[in-house]
Amino acid sequence: MQRNKFTTMRSLKVLDRCKGAQVYALHTTGGGGGDVGDKLYHQLQDHLSVNPVRPISMHNYQSSNVPLAYVNETLLPYGLPVSDLLEPQIESCLKFVDFIGTLADLYRRIENCPQFEKTGMYLEQCAIFKGLSDPKLFRRTLRAARQHTVDVHSKVVLAAWLRYERREDELRGTNSMNCCGRNIECPKATLVPGYNPEFIYDPCVCSKNPRGESVDDYSIEDVECSTSDEYRDMSFCIGDNEIRCIRYCIASLSTPFRTMLYGGFRESRKEKINFTQNGISIECMKAAELYSRIRRVDSFDPRIILELLTFSNRFCCDDLKSACDSYLASLVNDVENALLLIEYGLEENAYLLVAACLQVFLRELPNSMHSPNVMKYFCSPEAKERLALVGHASFLLYFFLSQIAMEEDMKANTTVMLLERLADCATESWQKQLAYHQLGVAMYERKEYKDAQNWFEEAYESGHIYSKVGIARTKCKRGHKYSAYKMINSLISEYKPVGWMHQERSLYCDGKEKMSDLEMATELDPTLCFPYKYRAVLLLETNKIGAAISEISKIISFKVSPDCLELRAWISIAMEDYERALRDVRALLTLEPNYMMFHGKMHCDHLVELLRPFVQQWSQADCWMQLYDRWSSVDDLGSLAVVHHMLANDPGKSLLWFRQSLLLLRLNCQKAAMRSLRLARNHSTSDHERLVYEGWILYDTGHCEEALAKAEESISIQRSFEAFFLKAYALADTSLDQESSAYVIQLLLDALRCPSDGLRKGQALNNLGSVYVDCEKLDLAADCYMNALNIKHTRAHQGLARVFHLKNQRKAAYDEMTKLIEKARNNASAYEKRSEYSDRDMAKSDLAMATQLDPLRTYPYRYRAAVGPEHEVSAFAVLMDDHKENEAIAELTRALAFKPDLQLLHLRAAFHDSMGDYASTVRDCEAALCLEPNHADTLELYNKVRELVKEQ
């Protein structure tokens, strides 16, 4: 049957990244020493089947002689949370009332702008994508900006920013000037001006000549000897020293020298010219004479080259200055050199030298942010002016610096000064909106409300509607609550309401009106944390502790954040459920290791120590069994807490850091996951293991080919499960044609022959089954899924259901998904997938439950908007049977209000097209292409509709 262009709505991800957790190496299949591992694994499995590990009431472990008042004073020294003290953070990114329209407009402008101006457009796109939850969009746009740069300054900043996104500063044994092997981030390639977008991903000169050997060494002595004195027809005298020169060679250095030596000046008739009073050393003049003949400076002492730089400025020797500038720039390789040379560069207006020094400072971020000797070149107005004189003060530079400063410390003086310089460099409307708004946020965090209000007003006047939130908040803080209410109320009246508007208005009203606004905020945008937090604390204040836990758990189930975990732990302590509290605090610490609880008054690590006496103590073996139990029940947060416990006992175990990173990825906590992955790499004890972790870092930051190379290098050292698995996963992500599918199967089989534990084996079997299904080898796929289930990989029920469905065993498929729903703690995806194997009414019920559990899942919205007979999705048989196009569009619009998604936009565009609303079709296509410029189906629809519009 021909594949419909909308079948991607129902497609399963081919490979599970295996975002699980592994603790010990249990050899469940094949490989050396496998019998011992099998025996240990089966002993554990038997133990678990006879003695299933379940949460034990911690009241049993609380000492009977410890008074409850003492417990509360110890664990809750700052009391309980108070609803009146809660308020949502003012977001520091750009936010829009019509985000889809903003994306569409940006795409049009990017497509229509000249090639040399695309970097600026992509930078604006970076600023917009910074507010989205998917960091891959931001990194992809940052690479596009780097690809289209022309000037050295922009190349230096963007290459450093791309490096910062991988946080390679946290990798042990790496140098900030290390090259990734591609032009896009190469520190040498960035210092070469010019526009070459097609070569940006090519191997750089470092990879071709890694040791930096000179290919054309020469001897100064040979050159000096090659020029006979008979050609030297003049001299420069400095004191008693005479430097013989060739007149026309010196004259060729610059127009002033040409005029002096061949013009109407008396020097043109002299054989000897006195240069004693010009402040030029003998060595410098000799070097200038030699340069006039050989046109090179790379064999001179750096001190002499610095003198030559001054000489070239004084006598306007452009070529000499360029040579000195370029060579000195090549010498800058660390912060010490950069701090020494940047002053010369600034004084002598040496563009490349200053660029090279800036490059070192920027590639050392965030560490260099804490160096006063470095930051003095950026923070003050005078510093910015000095950089501007050399061509190195830009909005791009201060955008990069200020973003890192805000991440480090929003309230710091350095942050405020960098944001002020950002505002100084802002010229375009979006730049002013961003700079002024972020200054407002910084001042608000510092409790400088008057200044904050002024900056928010500047941002609003520049066109940033969301900054009205800041104006209202500062007005309220300064005692004008009703004025703040009226301001947000007018915003809701003037524009189409979105969730954050109602959330903000709730701060300035009370009682039923407040609760109504919070309910509306959740309805319009279920991803907003504050409404859940406020309702939970309100329930706690009325002694409805169980309901409070249930309320805050609603958002934690699909959006894990430190503040929500903190609140649930806080409430759990109040209800004396210390085990749940400890679990949440441990999970929180994996997200933010330095998080401070109770309004920033207690470090989480300290709270863990306070809670430990009130819970059952686990050995590493106990942790292993707990992990198996939580893994089999698809309890990702619980698994994360167990792994954190194990790391507390064995912090040097790279395997545990790696498993923690995979769990965090499953919970969509990508920043924390990457930090754990870097720690795994730092704690690796062998080269082959380190290469695997470096490969995952590269893969997760969009460098798939480099990740494959790391996997192959690791395998060449030692065959291991993780190396084969990485290679299979990265290869499957690039292409899955018949030939590559066969290779992926072989790689996964190789992985399964290597030692590993049951959890990872289950994931590999699950992935192998997925590839077999795509190759239509259903019996082999079923065997893989059954083997995965035998070792408690519960998610394999989903793959087995898919096999039954393809064999036309719909009831068996439905039953498999029901088993997954019953076993899984996090089961929104299970409800979603079961809907594919049930009748229409049951499907709608399952999808309603999936949306309730996880509103961020987009398939239910697409299904409800576009379901036809037999669940086949089509642009022309979607709710068309009842002519309910408007209802379908409304369903999609509801989700797009809080989750701009490619598939949702494409489907809504198809609806608009079927209704003849071509303007809306074009808008949705453009917004979708802004998110993914190469999406083939959207490009096809976009081009078709544009042709229709032209014809009309």
Side-chain angles (χ1 to χ4, degrees):
M1 184 176 70
Q2 185 178 2
R3 283 177 60 88
N4 187 284
K5 67 180 180 179
F6 286 94
T7 53
T8 52
M9 288 174 51
R10 299 177 54 197
S11 64
L12 294 171
K13 183 163 181 65
V14 175
L15 288 187
D16 175 14
R17 163 67 186 271
C18 309
K19 308 174 181 87
Q22 169 185 351
V23 187
Y24 298 136
L26 299 182
H27 314 308
T28 58
T29 63
D35 293 339
V36 176
D38 288 339
K39 184 177 180 181
L40 178 56
Y41 167 71
H42 289 302
Q43 287 175 348
L44 276 172
Q45 193 174 43
D46 293 342
H47 178 87
L48 287 168
S49 62
V50 177
N51 304 299
V53 181
R54 295 290 177 222
I56 304 172
S57 173
M58 291 305 104
H59 299 290
N60 298 336
Y61 298 93
Q62 186 174 325
S63 301
S64 58
N65 59 345
V66 180
L68 185 59
Y70 174 78
V71 173
N72 288 337
E73 183 180 347
T74 302
L75 300 179
L76 294 173
Y78 306 104
L80 295 172
V82 179
S83 58
D84 290 342
L85 298 180
L86 295 176
E87 68 173 47
Q89 277 194 326
I90 302 175
E91 295 188 43
S92 61
C93 57
L94 293 175
K95 287 183 74 72
F96 304 91
V97 175
D98 179 14
F99 189 64
I100 302 304
T102 300
L103 291 178
D105 173 69
L106 181 61
Y107 177 78
R108 283 194 302 273
R109 290 188 287 123
I110 290 174
E111 288 299 298
N112 295 327
C113 78
Q115 290 292 316
F116 291 167
E117 297 177 14
K118 284 191 180 292
T119 293
M121 298 302 305
Y122 283 123
L123 187 61
E124 181 179 354
Q125 192 175 35
C126 282
I128 292 172
F129 284 169
K130 192 71 175 174
L132 299 181
S133 59
D134 186 358
K136 292 180 181 177
L137 289 173
F138 176 80
R139 286 196 292 263
R140 189 196 68 208
T141 307
L142 204 59
R143 286 194 293 270
R146 168 66 184 89
Q147 182 176 3
H148 290 278
T149 50
V150 180
D151 61 288
V152 167
H153 172 78
S154 298
K155 290 181 179 182
V156 163
V157 177
L158 288 166
W161 202 338
L162 284 167
R163 183 181 186 277
Y164 174 79
E165 285 297 307
R166 289 201 305 279
R167 292 306 304 266
E168 291 198 3
D169 59 286
E170 295 183 1
L171 299 181
R172 292 177 186 167
T174 60
N175 185 288
S176 64
M177 299 303 286
N178 285 353
C179 180
C180 69
R182 305 281 177 179
N183 285 322
I184 189 168
E185 289 182 43
C186 174
K188 293 181 180 178
T190 57
L191 296 177
V192 179
Y195 184 70
N196 50 358
E198 64 274 16
F199 301 120
I200 199 70
Y201 294 108
D202 288 355
C204 63
V205 66
C206 301
S207 59
K208 300 172 185 174
N209 188 21
R211 297 184 182 179
E213 298 94 340
S214 175
V215 293
D216 55 349
D217 289 341
Y218 68 99
S219 167
I220 288 184
E221 290 77 9
D222 292 343
V223 176
E224 287 180 329
C225 293
S226 68
T227 305
S228 174
D229 279 346
E230 65 183 270
Y231 296 107
R232 293 185 168 99
D233 53 356
M234 64 159 292
S235 301
F236 284 100
C237 298
I238 300 175
D240 296 331
N241 295 281
E242 185 177 323
I243 298 96
R244 297 291 292 169
C245 305
I246 300 174
R247 183 178 295 268
Y248 76 83
C249 288
I250 297 295
S252 68
L253 289 177
S254 69
T255 300
F257 271 123
R258 187 180 305 110
T259 303
M260 179 176 71
L261 297 177
Y262 287 106
F265 294 95
R266 61 184 177 183
E267 284 83 358
S268 64
R269 298 183 294 275
K270 287 185 176 182
E271 183 179 342
K272 295 183 179 181
I273 299 173
N274 192 340
F275 255 37
T276 303
Q277 303 302 318
N278 285 335
I280 299 170
S281 71
I282 299 166
E283 293 83 359
C284 178
M285 197 64 228
K286 286 182 177 179
E289 186 279 327
L290 183 57
Y291 173 81
S292 73
R293 290 183 284 116
I294 66 173
R295 300 288 165 165
R296 298 182 63 156
V297 299
D298 46 354
S299 289
F300 299 147
D301 186 273
R303 180 182 59 82
I304 300 300
I305 298 176
L306 287 170
E307 277 197 71
L308 281 175
L309 185 60
T310 304
F311 177 93
S312 66
N313 272 330
R314 180 178 298 180
F315 295 102
C316 303
C317 305
D318 293 339
D319 289 345
L320 175 58
K321 178 178 180 178
S322 178
C324 293
D325 191 12
S326 179
Y327 184 72
L328 288 170
S330 71
L331 300 179
V332 183
N333 54 17
D334 58 34
V335 173
E336 184 179 356
N337 283 343
L339 288 172
L340 178 66
L341 291 172
I342 191 170
E343 279 295 339
Y344 289 100
L346 291 169
E347 288 295 326
E348 301 298 338
N349 196 26
Y351 179 78
L352 284 179
L353 178 55
V354 174
C357 295
L358 289 182
Q359 177 163 250
V360 170
F361 297 154
L362 297 178
R363 292 173 76 96
E364 286 284 347
L365 287 168
N367 296 328
S368 56
M369 185 72 67
H370 305 290
S371 169
N373 291 331
V374 171
M375 296 317 294
K376 72 180 183 181
Y377 291 106
F378 299 105
C379 289
S380 68
E382 295 76 20
K384 179 245 174 188
E385 287 304 316
R386 291 187 76 194
L387 288 174
L389 290 173
V390 197
H392 286 291
S394 67
F395 183 87
L396 169 60
L397 172 65
Y398 284 102
F399 186 19
F400 178 31
L401 289 170
S402 61
Q403 300 313 296
I404 297 175
M406 287 191 294
E407 290 177 14
E408 293 290 299
D409 185 357
M410 179 68 81
K411 302 175 185 178
N413 290 335
T414 298
T415 303
V416 173
M417 288 190 286
L418 289 172
L419 286 170
E420 288 172 343
R421 303 294 78 76
L422 181 71
D424 293 341
C425 294
T427 55
E428 299 180 35
S429 174
W430 73 268
Q431 295 175 348
K432 293 176 181 178
Q433 292 175 32
L434 180 66
Y436 299 156
H437 180 73
Q438 290 184 337
L439 268 166
V441 173
M443 292 301 182
Y444 185 84
E445 290 294 319
R446 289 160 64 99
K447 301 188 184 334
E448 298 176 20
Y449 298 124
K450 184 177 180 180
D451 288 340
Q453 183 175 332
N454 291 336
W455 285 117
F456 283 132
E457 287 172 348
E458 290 275 1
Y460 177 71
E461 290 169 8
S462 298
H464 193 230
I465 305 302
Y466 177 70
S467 291
K468 259 200 170 181
V469 167
I471 301 172
R473 201 79 69 88
T474 52
K475 279 180 176 288
C476 183
K477 292 292 185 183
R478 300 175 69 196
H480 306 291
K481 185 175 181 179
Y482 183 61
S483 176
Y485 175 84
K486 287 197 300 181
M487 180 173 288
I488 301 301
N489 200 47
S490 67
L491 199 61
I492 293 174
S493 302
E494 187 175 352
Y495 297 97
K496 182 180 179 181
V498 289
W500 57 261
M501 294 181 185
H502 285 278
Q503 172 179 272
E504 191 64 23
R505 190 172 68 176
S506 74
L507 300 178
Y508 314 120
C509 52
D510 301 299
K512 291 182 179 180
E513 187 178 359
K514 186 184 193 77
M515 299 309 295
S516 176
D517 264 333
L518 290 173
E519 290 298 333
M520 181 58 70
T522 300
E523 182 178 335
L524 294 173
D525 185 353
T527 67
L528 294 172
C529 296
F530 174 74
Y532 299 93
K533 291 170 66 178
Y534 185 88
R535 289 189 292 261
V537 174
L538 201 63
L539 288 164
L540 178 64
E541 290 174 340
T542 57
N543 207 31
K544 298 176 181 177
I545 300 180
I549 289 284
S550 298
E551 181 64 29
I552 196 62
S553 296
K554 288 178 184 176
I555 190 166
I556 292 175
S557 67
F558 66 89
K559 183 182 178 182
V560 178
S561 63
D563 56 333
C564 290
L565 286 172
E566 174 194 10
L567 181 57
R568 190 166 73 176
W570 204 338
I571 299 172
S572 297
I573 293 172
M575 68 184 298
E576 301 177 49
D577 188 348
Y578 303 127
E579 183 174 278
R580 175 151 54 182
L582 183 58
R583 179 199 63 191
D584 283 344
V585 175
R586 286 193 182 280
L588 193 164
L589 280 166
T590 65
L591 300 177
E592 289 193 24
N594 298 316
Y595 193 83
M596 303 291 289
M597 288 192 61
F598 308 140
H599 306 300
K601 296 175 180 177
M602 181 186 288
H603 198 285
C604 282
D605 279 331
H606 182 54
L607 183 58
V608 168
E609 293 305 312
L610 293 176
L611 285 167
R612 285 183 63 193
F614 300 97
V615 301
Q616 183 183 18
Q617 303 302 303
W618 294 339
S619 65
Q620 288 290 82
D622 295 329
C623 288
W624 181 238
M625 290 186 288
Q626 290 282 345
L627 185 59
Y628 251 89
D629 186 60
R630 281 157 174 73
W631 177 252
S632 64
S633 63
V634 196
D635 178 7
D636 295 326
L637 268 179
S639 300
L640 196 61
V642 174
V643 174
H644 180 271
H645 187 173
M646 300 179 77
L647 278 167
N649 297 331
D650 190 2
K653 194 77 170 178
S654 61
L655 206 60
L656 296 178
W657 287 113
F658 181 50
R659 298 306 182 262
Q660 179 172 288
S661 76
L662 298 175
L663 275 168
L664 287 164
L665 278 176
R666 185 179 290 282
L667 291 166
N668 202 31
C669 302
Q670 298 193 33
K671 183 178 178 181
M674 291 301 293
R675 181 177 60 247
S676 296
L677 193 51
R678 290 189 292 270
L679 286 166
R681 183 265 185 198
N682 288 345
H683 287 101
S684 56
T685 56
S686 62
D687 287 341
H688 75 86
E689 185 184 20
R690 173 182 54 80
L691 288 164
V692 168
Y693 301 145
E694 288 176 354
W696 280 120
I697 291 172
L698 288 165
Y699 177 84
D700 286 333
T701 51
H703 299 81
C704 193
E705 290 184 12
E706 289 84 349
L708 277 169
K710 291 283 186 181
E712 289 166 356
E713 187 179 353
S714 178
I715 292 169
S716 70
I717 298 172
Q718 180 171 321
R719 295 166 64 87
S720 69
F721 175 92
E722 296 297 350
F724 280 117
F725 192 92
L726 169 60
K727 186 175 181 180
Y729 194 88
L731 185 64
D733 193 43
T734 54
S735 64
L736 264 185
D737 53 32
Q738 187 172 359
E739 183 179 353
S740 61
S741 293
Y743 189 32
V744 169
I745 288 171
Q746 184 57 51
L747 289 169
L748 288 171
L749 290 172
D750 287 338
L752 287 165
R753 294 187 187 100
C754 296
S756 187
D757 62 75
L759 300 181
R760 292 297 273 165
K761 296 278 187 176
Q763 292 165 335
L765 286 165
N766 198 52
N767 284 12
L768 182 58
S770 296
V771 183
Y772 277 138
V773 168
D774 290 337
C775 297
E776 299 181 356
K777 298 177 180 179
L778 301 184
D779 291 336
L780 289 174
D783 290 342
C784 287
Y785 291 130
M786 290 301 299
N787 288 333
L789 288 170
N790 288 337
I791 52 177
K792 302 179 78 68
H793 189 78
T794 307
R795 288 181 175 89
H797 283 297
Q798 181 173 315
L800 194 56
R802 187 181 175 200
V803 171
F804 285 139
H805 178 64
L806 291 172
K807 288 184 173 183
N808 295 318
Q809 299 174 21
R810 197 182 188 91
K811 178 64 167 58
Y814 181 90
D815 291 342
E816 281 301 316
M817 293 311 300
T818 301
K819 293 176 186 177
L820 180 57
I821 289 171
E822 292 169 349
K823 293 179 182 179
R825 181 182 291 268
N826 302 321
N827 53 18
S829 64
Y831 278 106
E832 178 183 298
K833 296 304 177 185
R834 190 174 70 171
S835 70
E836 298 182 17
Y837 313 128
S838 53
D839 58 43
R840 180 177 293 197
D841 290 337
M842 282 297 298
K844 288 181 178 179
S845 175
D846 278 345
L847 291 173
M849 179 60 72
T851 298
Q852 180 181 334
L853 294 172
D854 184 356
L856 290 173
R857 304 192 73 86
T858 59
Y859 174 74
Y861 302 100
R862 302 202 305 269
Y863 177 93
R864 286 188 289 265
V867 63
E870 301 299 322
H871 304 289
E872 285 298 327
V873 179
S874 165
F876 303 101
V878 287
L879 278 182
M880 299 297 182
D881 50 347
D882 297 321
H883 301 287
K884 294 181 179 178
E885 299 94 333
N886 289 328
E887 290 183 23
I889 289 173
E891 180 70 23
L892 296 170
T893 302
R894 173 190 167 202
L896 284 167
F898 60 88
K899 184 177 174 62
D901 175 78
L902 173 66
Q903 296 292 345
L904 292 175
L905 283 165
H906 176 66
L907 185 55
R908 192 172 73 169
F911 272 110
H912 286 308
D913 176 43
S914 68
M915 297 168 66
D917 186 353
Y918 298 137
S920 297
T921 304
V922 168
R923 179 203 61 202
D924 283 352
C925 284
E926 288 172 340
L929 293 170
C930 190
L931 297 173
E932 176 47 72
N934 299 316
H935 190 246
D937 290 341
T938 303
L939 281 169
E940 179 184 348
L941 177 59
Y942 183 51
N943 292 328
K944 184 196 82 170
V945 173
R946 289 177 72 190
E947 288 299 320
L948 288 173
V949 172
K950 285 180 183 179
E951 291 175 3
Q952 292 178 358

